[in-house]
Amino acid sequence: MSVQGLSINLATVRPQFGFAAAVDACLAQGITAIAPWRDQVEAIGLDAAARIVEANGIQITGYCRGGMFPATDPIGLAAAIDDNKRAIDEAAALGADCLIMVVGGLPGTSKDIDAARAMVADGLAAVLPYARACKVPLAIEPLHPMYAGDRACVNTLEQALDLCDALGAGMGVAIDVYHTWWDPKLRSQIARAGRKGQILAHHICDWLIPTRDLLLDRGMMGDGVINLKLIRADIEQAGFHGAQEVEIFSSENWWKRPGEEVIATCIERYRTVC
C-alpha cells in the first residue's frame, strides 16, 4: 500500500543500503519519495541514479547538500561556488524539489561569525542565478546553534528567511524539527515563510532526553520531546503540504538495525505521532 506524504532521507538508512537498494526497500513498503545525499549518488553514478528515479516514479523531496561557503581565502570561496553549481546540476538531473543548503560555519581559525555569514550571503548570491536557470530552488536549512562554529552559521528560521528575502526568487527554507523545535519564534517565522511560499521542505525526527551525541543520536519520531503534530499543523497552516521527510542520524541505535525495520518504524510513527 502506498504511503502518501512520507519521504525517507537516505541518511536514515545510510549504513544499511546503497542508493539502489534503498530505493527498492522504500518501494517494497510503499514509499515513493526519498532524499538522497551526493555521496550516495556518486557511488552509483548520477546517470544510473537518475534512471532509477525516472523508472520508478520516485519523488526527490530534497538533494543533500549544497552550501559550505565560508572559506579562508577567495580561492576557497570560488571553489565552494563551483562545487555548489555541480550540486545544482546533479539536483536538476534527478528532478529534485530543492537543493538543501547547509551553509557552513567559521572557516579555519576565524572567530568572526559576522564575516562567515557575509560569505554565506555572497556565496548564495553567486549561485542563485545558475540555480534559477536550472529550475532548482535553494532551501536554506538553519541548524541548531550548537553547529554555528563548524556546520552552519545560520541558526534560526528567522535568519534563513532574512537571507531569502534579501536574495529573492528561487530561495526558500528547509524546516528541520531537530534544529528548530526549541526556537521561541518558530511558529511566527513559519507563518512568515508561508506568506511568501518559502517553505520547501519539512524534516522530521525527535530530540531525545538525554541526547548522547549531538550529531549521531537523533531520535525516531515519538521517542523524544518535540511536538511534531503542532509543528506540522503550523507548517500546513502556512501552506506547505509536501512530504514529511525522515532524517535520522543514529549510530548506536537505528543505524544498527535492519533497514527494512527502520523504514517500517518510520511508517508506523508517521501514521501515529506525526
Side-chain angles (χ1 to χ4, degrees):
M1 187 174 84
S2 178
V3 182
Q4 297 297 318
L6 177 64
S7 173
I8 301 295
N9 186 295
L10 296 192
T12 304
V13 288
R14 175 182 290 279
Q16 296 96 328
F17 299 126
F19 183 90
V23 169
D24 288 343
C26 287
L27 290 172
Q29 298 197 49
I31 294 174
T32 59
I34 62 170
W37 286 64
R38 293 182 71 190
D39 64 303
Q40 295 169 318
V41 170
E42 182 181 13
I44 191 174
L46 179 60
D47 290 344
R51 286 195 297 269
I52 290 170
V53 168
E54 183 177 7
N56 291 283
I58 300 293
Q59 178 188 5
I60 304 296
T61 55
Y63 188 51
C64 302
R65 60 190 163 138
M68 296 296 172
F69 290 109
T72 56
D73 55 42
I75 294 174
L77 179 58
I81 290 169
D82 287 343
D83 186 59
N84 274 271
K85 289 181 178 179
R86 288 191 293 272
I88 291 166
D89 287 337
E90 294 162 20
L94 293 168
D97 293 347
C98 61
L99 175 63
I100 302 298
M101 306 300 284
V102 176
V103 297
L106 298 174
T109 59
S110 173
K111 297 183 180 180
D112 191 343
I113 196 167
D114 291 332
R117 287 171 175 156
M119 280 187 273
V120 168
D122 290 345
L124 288 168
V127 301
L128 181 56
Y130 189 77
R132 287 172 178 155
C134 294
K135 296 182 171 54
V136 175
L138 303 181
I140 301 171
E141 182 177 356
L143 266 56
H144 192 285
M146 65 189 173
Y147 292 125
D150 60 346
R151 292 178 184 272
C153 57
V154 173
N155 308 110
T156 66
L157 187 55
E158 183 175 33
Q159 288 175 314
L161 290 171
D162 286 347
L163 276 169
C164 291
D165 288 348
L167 292 166
M171 295 298 307
V173 293
I175 301 174
D176 187 322
V177 298
Y178 188 74
H179 296 296
T180 60
W181 71 275
W182 57 273
D183 185 352
K185 291 186 177 181
L186 178 60
R187 300 190 73 185
S188 65
Q189 293 303 308
I190 289 173
R192 170 190 172 185
R195 288 193 287 272
K196 292 187 178 181
Q198 292 168 320
I199 303 174
L200 300 179
H202 176 203
H203 300 176
I204 57 174
C205 61
D206 218 332
W207 186 281
L208 300 176
I209 301 293
T211 293
R212 295 168 294 179
D213 185 292
L214 293 174
L215 176 62
L216 299 176
D217 193 29
R218 294 192 187 194
M220 181 64 67
M221 297 80 70
D223 289 347
V225 298
I226 300 177
N227 192 335
L228 294 160
K229 287 186 176 180
L230 177 62
I231 294 174
R232 181 61 183 187
D234 287 342
I235 286 174
E236 292 189 354
Q237 180 65 31
F240 180 81
H241 298 276
Q244 297 186 61
E245 179 186 311
V246 181
E247 185 180 37
I248 295 175
F249 305 121
S250 178
S251 60
E252 297 303 314
N253 187 359
W254 298 102
W255 281 357
K256 291 186 174 181
R257 303 193 189 197
E260 293 83 0
E261 176 189 341
V262 176
I263 293 170
T265 306
C266 290
I267 294 170
E268 186 271 329
R269 299 297 181 84
Y270 168 70
R271 288 172 170 163
T272 57
V273 303
C274 296

